[in-house]
């Protein structure tokens, strides 16, 4: 006889992850016929960890935890109970708690079912192990094949990788399907869960953490997490975050080239952007004024229609606007893992609002205003989807999991007037991934199904996720941070007072907050006033209503005016570009906006022309692409470096660009230029043999070999991992530690070999590595403290960068070697 314990109806180890929401457990005894009394006790246990669980006899939100549950299996052969995480004791990346089942009569072996309390956490509270697991799982999605085939015609892009499949749900073509509508939050809740469930197929301990963008995040914006993000003004070209070689993102490249991200005004590591509404502001009971002209009558923030509008426009949109780069570019932003962490916070804010105002019954209009199902005209007619279209009503299925044919939805193609050009949504008829711990929403989520995500009303029919500080049970206390706001009338008044000293007004601007159309208009007047102080005008951009038609017209006029300071014009370009998330007038203004930007690509000011090129390049503008190609072919450009020209072209790589990059690589004598050319080939499969040849050429620099390795890895990670294992296992002859050519290696060689180890540690399957024993030997020598010349090696590596050697005395490359050795051992043991 033996105990059989099923969680959510299965014995699968994939169900051993729970949150605050109770899950059903079913206990039976195999081969027991009930011939005698058999009393069984169920308890909980834990090891040295943070996680704790509790037992419940029901999943009612008013249920009380019990320390022990007993059942006599002679009376009933099947016993049901519930288990939930003990709020707020979440686990840290391991199964550190368990369900214990014992019998008084020792005719059956005791059962221990290990459990992890897995919840979505604030990124600032995560441990290094959790950070690494999340990033490694995200990178692995960039190497797995897509789950669906795309045999139809007319797609602008067909994803070949699983991460691309997810990313391309959020395209330019789908922008109005999923933004600027009341279904914005439901759609993104489903999108976030889709990504998270795929991550959990890679690593069951992973959830998507959230970035609280209304607070500083010093732990998040580092080279060991989401990347040390520089100021956008630090470079005239695309700005890139930097990563340590031990970070899984060190080898990550996107479908649009290198990951780019720079902060615009305030460094999010040290301060939150003043334009972003605080959590306390979003959770207040207030009237949301219809300053954007799309709400209808003013509504209360305790109703979803008012709250969702306030959050999307004053919180979500503006958090994207903190940055330049891919995360700021709607249609490309999900390539940056920060996108999902940003939306983790957006969804958490919705969940927090739901808890505070008890908005979990989707049939109530205050919980969701558009009841019923869409029953109007479908297909065959172009229009931007809006609140009156399919996908915005409670009973509608959400695109692209609708399991309908494309023709049954409103046309999503841009019309002929749209500067981006025509296109087609690349995702049709996707099946929503299932979850062993979440029953909802099934294969095709509806708007309504996203609302009660914990199944508080629906008898435990949950989505299988929880947030660290949002419990399930009524008796658990939630801290909303919604105490009365500081009176901002005085701050606004000082900011608007032209007679006050500049420094006083600047100080007031940091706490000012626009609440009505009159105050928005005053901020716009400051921007327009050419006699106003430049710093005050720049501050006004944080407080302007960027969805107002007048803002676009004023901003575009100022951008076109050569007498306006270049810094203000640069900031305005970013503000206008970001306004497309919420401004319904943006499409009609984009042609003139782009015409002005085209005139700035040869401007004498480096910052101004760089931001103009960046926006045009991101939108695949033909004129700027021709300009970049022309400048690349010159011996020396007066307007931008070859590295930056290559980086801009890589965002929309074309076959002719690849040929040009190869030509530049062959002709240039500058390693920075040659390295950029190699990295620019990462999305061109026809360049595979060329990259492989460069990688294996021992006569060229390690810097170029690393660039070719990173590009080839993005293209074919399996082949590259085998080459990496071969290079590490059978290194060039040299002196000192076997992995290096010298006992005093140069920084480029250390980076190259570290990058190879990173690939193997985070993206390789041991079964695919052919040099197992030789690789192990090289790794063991690297970490052996008695290795000849080890002292010289450590001191040399430390001289490159003092942070390379941590408090334990380990270099980053040693950490990677240990990690890979552990991986080889674990998988061989399995």
């Amino acid at each position: 006889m033996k105990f059989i314990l099923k969680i959510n109806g299965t014995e699968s180890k994939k169900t051993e992850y729970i949150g605050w929401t109770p899950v059903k457990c079913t206990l039976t005894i195999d081969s027991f016929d009930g011939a005698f009394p058999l009393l069984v006790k169920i308890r909980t246990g834990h090891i040295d960890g943070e996680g704790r669980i509790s037992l419940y006899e029901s999943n009612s939100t008013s249920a009380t935890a019990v320390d022990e549950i007993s059942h006599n299996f002679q009376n009933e052969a099947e016993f049901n109970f519930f288990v939930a995480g003990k709020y707020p004791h979440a686990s840290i990346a391991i199964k550190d708690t368990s369900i214990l089942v014992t019998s008084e009569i020792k005719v059956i072996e005791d059962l221990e079912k290990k459990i992890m309390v897995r919840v979505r956490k604030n990124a600032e509270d995560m441990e290094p192990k959790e950070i690494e697991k999340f990033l490694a799982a995200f990178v692995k999605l960039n190497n797995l094949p897509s789950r669906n085939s795309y045999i139809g015609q007319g797609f602008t892009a067909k994803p070949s990788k699983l991460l691309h499949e997810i990313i391309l749900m959020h395209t330019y073509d789908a922008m109005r399907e999923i933004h600027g509508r009341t279904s914005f939050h439901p759609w993104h809740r489903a999108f976030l869960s889709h990504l998270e469930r795929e991550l959990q197929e890679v690593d069951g301990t992973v959830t998507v953490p959230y970035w609280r963008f209304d607070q500083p995040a010093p732990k998040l914006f580092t080279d060991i997490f989401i990347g040390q993000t520089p100021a956008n003004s630090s470079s005239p070209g695309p700005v890139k975050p930097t990563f340590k070689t031990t970070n899984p993102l060190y080898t990550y490249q996107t479908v649009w080239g290198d990951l780019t991200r720079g902060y615009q005004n305030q460094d999010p590591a040290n301060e939150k952007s003043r334009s972003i509404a605080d959590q306390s502001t979003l959770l207040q009971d207030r009237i949301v004024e219809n300053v954007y002209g799309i709400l209808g009558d003013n509504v209360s923030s305790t109703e979803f229609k008012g709250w969702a509008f306030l959050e999307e426009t004053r919180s979500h949109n503006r958090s994207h606007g903190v940055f330049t780069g891919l995360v700021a570019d709607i249609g490309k932003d999900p390539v940056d893992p920060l996108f999902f962490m940003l939306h983790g916070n957006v969804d958490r804010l919705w969940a927090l609002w739901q808890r505070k105002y008890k908005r979990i019954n989707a049939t109530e209009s205050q919980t969701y205003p558009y009841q019923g199902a869409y029953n109007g005209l479908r297909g065959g007619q172009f229009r931007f989807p809006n609140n009156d279209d399919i996908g915005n009503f409670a009973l509608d299925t959400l695109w692209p999991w609708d399991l309908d044919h494309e023709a049954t939805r409103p046309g999503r193609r841009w019309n002929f007037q749209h500067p981006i050009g025509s296109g087609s949504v690349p995702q049709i008829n996707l099946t929503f991934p299932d979850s062993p711990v979440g029953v909802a929403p099934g294969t095709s989520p509806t708007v309504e199904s996203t609302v009660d995500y914990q199944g508080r009303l629906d008898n435990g029919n949950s989505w299988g996720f929880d947030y660290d500080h949002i419990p399930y049970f009524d008796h658990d206390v939630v801290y909303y941070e919604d105490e009365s706001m500081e009176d901002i009338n005085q701050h606004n008044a000082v900011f608007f007072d032209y007679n006050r000293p500049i420094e006083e007004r600047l100080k007031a601007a940091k706490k000012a907050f626009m609440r009505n159309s009159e105050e928005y208009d005053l901020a716009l007047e400051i921007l327009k006033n050419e006699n106003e102080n430049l710093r005050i005008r720049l501050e006004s951009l944080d407080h302007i209503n960027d969805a107002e038609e007048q803002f676009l017209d004023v901003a575009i006029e100022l951008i076109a005016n050569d007498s306006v300071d270049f810094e203000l014009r640069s900031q305005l370009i970013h503000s206008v570009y970001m306004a497309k998330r919420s401004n319904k007038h943006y499409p009609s203004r984009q042609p003139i906006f782009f015409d002005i930007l085209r005139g700035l690509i040869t401007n004498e000011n480096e910052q101004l022309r760089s931001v103009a090129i960046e926006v045009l390049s991101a939108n695949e503008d033909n004129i700027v692409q021709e300009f970049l190609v022309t400048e690349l072919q010159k011996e020396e450009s007066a307007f931008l470096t070859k590295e930056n020209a290559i980086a801009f072209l890589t965002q929309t790589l074309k076959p002719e660009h690849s040929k040009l990059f190869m030509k530049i690589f062959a002709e240039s004598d500058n390693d920075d230029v040659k390295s950029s050319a190699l990295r620019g080939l990462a999305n061109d499969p026809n360049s595979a043999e060329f990259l492989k040849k460069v990688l294996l050429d021992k006569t060229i620099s390690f810097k170029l070999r690393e660039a070719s390795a990173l590009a080839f890895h993005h293209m074919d990670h399996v082949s590259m991992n085998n080459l990496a294992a071969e290079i590490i296992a059978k290194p060039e002859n040299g002196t000192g530690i076997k992995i290096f050519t010298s006992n005093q290696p140069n920084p480029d060689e250390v980076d190259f070999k570290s990058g190879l180890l990173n690939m193997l540690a985070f993206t390789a399957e041991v079964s695919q590595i052919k040099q197992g024993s030789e690789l192990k030997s090289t790794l063991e020598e690297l970490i052996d403290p008695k290795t000849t010349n080890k002292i010289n090696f450590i001191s040399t590596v430390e001289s490159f960068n003092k942070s390379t050697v941590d408090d334990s005395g380990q270099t980053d490359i040693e950490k990677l070697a240990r990690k890979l050795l552990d991986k080889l051992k674990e998988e061989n043991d399995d």
Side-chain angles (χ1 to χ4, degrees):
M1 294 190 296
K2 68 174 183 176
F3 289 119
I4 298 176
L5 178 62
K6 295 182 178 180
I7 301 177
N8 265 344
T10 175
E11 292 183 83
S12 170
K13 286 186 173 294
K14 293 182 179 181
T15 64
E16 296 170 353
Y17 302 93
I18 63 173
W20 314 133
T21 302
V23 293
K24 184 178 179 180
C25 299
T26 302
L27 183 65
T28 57
I29 301 177
D30 184 44
S31 302
F32 179 59
D33 58 7
F36 55 88
L38 183 51
L39 185 65
V40 168
K41 292 184 178 181
I42 306 166
R43 303 188 309 277
T44 65
H46 62 268
I47 59 175
D48 291 335
E50 300 294 323
R52 300 289 187 275
I53 57 175
S54 296
L55 302 174
Y56 296 86
E57 294 176 335
S58 81
N59 62 352
S60 164
T61 59
S62 60
T64 302
V66 294
D67 295 329
E68 182 178 282
I69 298 177
S70 299
H71 179 71
N72 188 340
F73 275 86
Q74 185 180 37
N75 299 331
E76 190 175 9
E78 180 179 286
F79 180 67
N80 295 317
F81 62 99
F82 295 86
V83 63
K86 185 177 182 180
Y87 181 79
H89 301 284
S91 301
I92 299 176
I94 59 171
K95 295 177 181 177
D96 56 359
T97 184
S98 58
I99 301 172
L100 305 173
V101 184
T102 61
S103 65
E104 292 187 345
I105 305 175
K106 297 303 179 182
V107 294
I108 184 170
E109 185 178 350
D110 295 345
L111 172 70
E112 180 182 23
K113 184 82 164 178
K114 292 186 177 180
I115 299 291
M116 177 182 178
V117 183
R118 184 183 67 184
V119 297
R120 296 177 180 175
K121 296 181 179 179
N122 186 333
E124 287 294 297
D125 296 333
M126 292 174 69
E127 297 292 329
K129 187 174 183 179
E130 296 176 294
I131 293 170
E132 183 181 283
K133 282 176 166 287
F134 165 64
L135 297 177
F138 187 89
V139 166
K140 192 159 187 178
L141 291 190
N142 200 40
N143 296 322
L144 294 175
S146 59
R147 295 197 182 281
N148 296 270
S149 59
Y150 301 89
I151 59 176
Q153 300 298 313
F155 291 129
T156 54
K158 292 185 180 183
S160 59
K161 298 183 178 183
L162 181 52
L163 185 59
H164 297 177
E165 181 171 89
I166 297 169
I167 287 166
L168 290 171
M169 299 179 199
H170 200 275
T171 62
Y172 285 121
D173 299 315
M175 184 168 72
R176 294 303 175 195
E177 176 81 20
I178 58 181
H179 296 93
R181 302 210 292 173
T182 309
S183 57
F184 167 83
H185 289 88
W187 190 92
H188 282 85
R189 176 167 283 178
F191 186 49
L192 188 66
S193 291
H194 187 122
L195 178 277
E196 185 173 71
R197 289 183 177 190
E198 293 291 8
L199 290 174
Q200 289 167 353
E201 282 294 306
V202 172
D203 185 340
T205 68
V206 168
T207 60
V208 177
Y210 60 88
W211 165 41
R212 262 203 75 167
F213 41 68
D214 67 335
Q215 295 180 340
K219 295 181 181 178
L220 174 60
F221 293 97
T222 61
D223 55 8
I224 63 170
F225 202 162
I226 208 65
Q228 190 167 331
T229 303
N232 182 57
S233 57
S234 65
S235 168
V239 177
K240 297 184 289 186
T242 56
F243 305 97
K244 286 179 76 71
T245 55
T246 52
N247 188 324
L249 291 176
Y250 183 79
T251 64
Y252 176 60
Q253 283 198 294
T254 82
V255 68
W256 290 293
D258 287 332
L259 182 64
T260 58
R261 185 198 323 126
Y263 70 82
Q264 184 67 12
N265 293 317
Q266 291 84 38
D267 183 352
N270 301 323
E271 57 182 325
K272 75 100 173 173
S273 174
R274 297 185 294 278
S275 64
I276 297 174
D278 291 332
Q279 176 174 298
S280 58
T281 301
L282 293 173
L283 294 180
Q284 281 191 3
D285 181 353
R286 56 183 293 188
I287 296 297
V288 181
E289 185 175 343
N290 186 21
V291 294
Y292 288 76
I294 59 174
L295 262 189
D297 294 334
N298 293 335
V299 296
S300 168
S301 63
T302 66
E303 299 176 39
F304 183 73
K305 187 175 184 179
W307 178 85
F309 166 80
L310 183 67
E311 196 289 319
E312 183 182 0
T313 57
R314 300 297 300 276
S315 175
H316 161 265
N317 288 356
R318 298 192 177 204
S319 61
H320 277 284
V322 168
F323 305 100
T324 59
L326 291 170
V327 77
D329 186 0
I330 190 169
K332 295 180 179 177
D333 40 10
V335 295
D336 191 334
L338 181 63
F339 168 92
F340 294 100
M341 300 170 74
L342 183 160
H343 274 278
N345 194 50
V346 169
D347 189 69
R348 181 192 68 89
L349 288 168
W350 180 23
L352 199 59
W353 176 86
Q354 289 182 281
R355 175 71 181 231
K356 180 178 181 181
Y357 295 108
K358 298 180 175 57
R359 303 298 188 210
I360 57 173
N361 187 343
T363 64
E364 296 175 351
S365 61
Q366 289 182 319
T367 299
Y368 192 79
Y370 294 92
Q371 294 292 306
Y374 177 78
N375 60 4
L377 179 67
R378 297 189 180 198
Q381 174 183 335
F382 174 82
R383 62 182 179 277
F384 287 120
N386 55 44
N387 282 343
D388 294 325
D389 278 318
I390 189 172
N392 201 60
F393 291 83
L395 299 181
D396 290 348
T397 52
L398 288 166
W399 175 90
W401 310 280
D402 48 31
L403 304 183
D404 291 334
H405 297 292
E406 182 179 14
T408 67
R409 307 288 290 209
R412 291 188 191 82
R413 297 167 188 255
W414 299 118
N415 63 12
F416 65 92
Q417 294 178 328
H418 201 283
I420 295 173
S422 62
S424 177
V425 177
Q427 302 287 343
I428 304 296
N429 296 348
L430 288 185
T431 298
F432 195 81
D434 61 7
S435 168
V437 297
V439 178
T443 58
S444 188
T446 62
V447 174
E448 182 181 71
S449 70
T450 67
V451 174
D452 185 14
Y453 72 96
Q454 291 178 312
R456 289 166 62 87
L457 297 179
D458 196 13
N459 194 30
N461 190 22
S462 75
W463 282 57
F465 70 86
D466 287 292
Y467 287 100
D468 48 4
H469 300 301
I470 307 178
Y472 174 87
F473 293 104
D474 297 332
H475 53 73
D476 289 321
V477 178
V478 183
Y479 178 47
Y480 297 106
E481 303 179 12
D482 61 344
E483 296 87 351
S484 296
M485 283 181 64
E486 180 182 4
D487 184 7
I488 62 173
N489 290 333
Q490 184 176 356
H491 300 306
N492 288 2
V494 172
F495 177 55
F496 294 138
D497 189 346
Y498 290 81
N499 297 317
R500 294 268 189 164
I502 296 300
E503 295 304 322
E504 282 188 23
R505 295 179 66 195
L506 289 171
K507 184 178 179 181
K510 296 182 183 301
K511 295 185 177 180
F513 189 83
M514 306 301 105
R515 296 162 298 178
N516 54 54
S517 55
E518 289 79 8
E519 291 177 335
Y520 278 123
D521 289 343
L522 288 172
L524 187 61
E525 287 301 316
I526 290 176
L527 177 65
K528 292 163 56 178
N529 189 346
E530 61 183 18
N531 296 318
E532 180 61 276
N533 179 274
L534 173 62
R535 289 187 295 164
I536 296 292
R537 295 177 80 182
L538 287 168
E539 287 289 344
S540 71
L541 285 174
D542 270 345
H543 302 293
I544 281 173
N545 174 9
D546 59 3
E548 189 179 36
E549 184 175 17
Q550 187 183 4
F551 161 71
L552 289 178
D553 294 335
V554 169
I556 288 172
E557 183 178 348
L558 291 172
I559 293 168
N561 187 343
D562 289 336
S563 66
V564 176
D565 183 90
F566 75 89
E567 186 175 356
L568 179 58
R569 294 168 77 190
S570 298
Q571 296 280 7
L572 282 166
I573 290 171
H574 180 74
S575 296
V576 170
Y577 188 50
M578 293 307 300
K580 67 180 179 180
R581 290 183 182 274
S582 57
N583 197 313
K584 64 182 180 181
H585 304 286
Y586 177 84
S588 66
R589 301 306 196 275
Q590 184 167 300
I592 188 172
F593 176 47
F594 276 19
D595 277 343
I596 294 169
L597 296 185
R598 294 179 188 117
L600 294 176
I601 61 179
T602 57
N603 190 275
E604 62 181 13
N605 182 270
E606 185 177 62
Q607 182 178 343
L608 199 55
R609 64 175 181 260
S610 180
V611 69
I613 293 171
E614 181 170 8
V615 171
L616 292 171
S617 296
N619 286 270
E620 306 178 29
D621 182 73
N622 289 329
I623 292 176
V624 82
Q625 287 188 354
E626 292 172 5
F627 166 77
L628 292 169
V629 169
T630 300
E631 295 304 303
L632 264 179
Q633 293 172 329
K634 294 179 180 178
E635 186 171 336
E636 187 174 349
S637 171
F639 303 112
L640 76 171
T641 65
K642 289 187 183 296
E643 300 100 288
N644 286 335
I646 291 168
F648 284 129
L649 281 173
T650 300
Q651 294 178 356
T652 50
L653 188 68
K654 295 179 180 178
E656 58 268 30
H657 298 160
S658 296
K659 294 176 182 177
L660 179 58
F661 294 170
M662 290 184 186
K663 183 174 183 290
I664 289 170
F665 176 84
E667 296 177 352
S668 177
D669 57 2
N670 184 312
D671 269 11
D672 289 333
V673 174
K674 295 167 81 76
S675 179
S676 296
L678 291 169
R679 291 174 70 88
L681 297 172
N683 287 301
D684 175 25
N686 295 320
S687 301
E689 288 304 313
F690 174 77
L691 291 170
K692 183 177 177 180
K693 180 180 178 181
V694 173
L695 166 67
L696 298 176
D697 187 346
K698 298 178 183 179
T699 67
I700 66 173
S701 70
F702 286 110
K703 181 175 183 177
L704 298 182
R705 294 179 69 187
E706 183 187 24
S708 62
L710 292 170
F712 189 42
H713 186 259
H714 177 72
M715 190 182 299
D716 183 353
H717 75 285
V718 174
S719 297
M720 181 59 235
N721 286 339
N722 269 311
L723 288 174
E726 183 176 345
I727 293 169
I728 296 296
K730 303 174 181 178
E732 299 94 75
N733 292 329
T735 59
I737 298 173
K738 183 179 178 183
I739 193 173
F740 295 115
T741 57
S742 165
N743 65 356
Q744 292 183 307
N746 66 47
D748 289 339
E749 182 178 4
V750 175
D751 284 345
F752 174 53
K753 302 293 173 61
S754 297
L756 299 181
L757 290 177
N758 182 297
M759 294 173 188
L760 294 169
F762 294 116
T763 68
E765 301 293 337
V766 171
S767 60
Q768 297 172 341
I769 299 175
K770 299 175 182 178
Q771 288 80 21
S773 59
E774 291 176 290
L775 177 62
K776 185 179 178 182
S777 173
T778 303
L779 297 174
E780 288 174 339
E781 181 186 3
L782 178 59
I783 65 174
D784 184 354
K786 300 185 295 294
T787 298
T788 305
N789 296 319
K790 188 66 174 285
I791 295 176
N792 288 339
F793 162 69
I794 291 178
S795 63
T796 301
V797 173
E798 187 174 14
S799 70
F800 304 153
N801 181 354
K802 289 186 177 180
S803 65
T804 304
V805 181
D806 65 11
D807 294 339
S808 67
Q810 289 188 85
T811 60
D812 286 345
I813 196 167
E814 286 176 294
K815 293 178 187 176
L816 288 165
R818 289 180 186 277
K819 183 175 291 295
L820 183 53
L821 273 172
D822 289 343
K823 180 176 182 176
L824 292 169
K825 183 179 184 302
E826 287 174 7
E827 297 202 22
N828 285 335
D829 288 347
D830 291 342

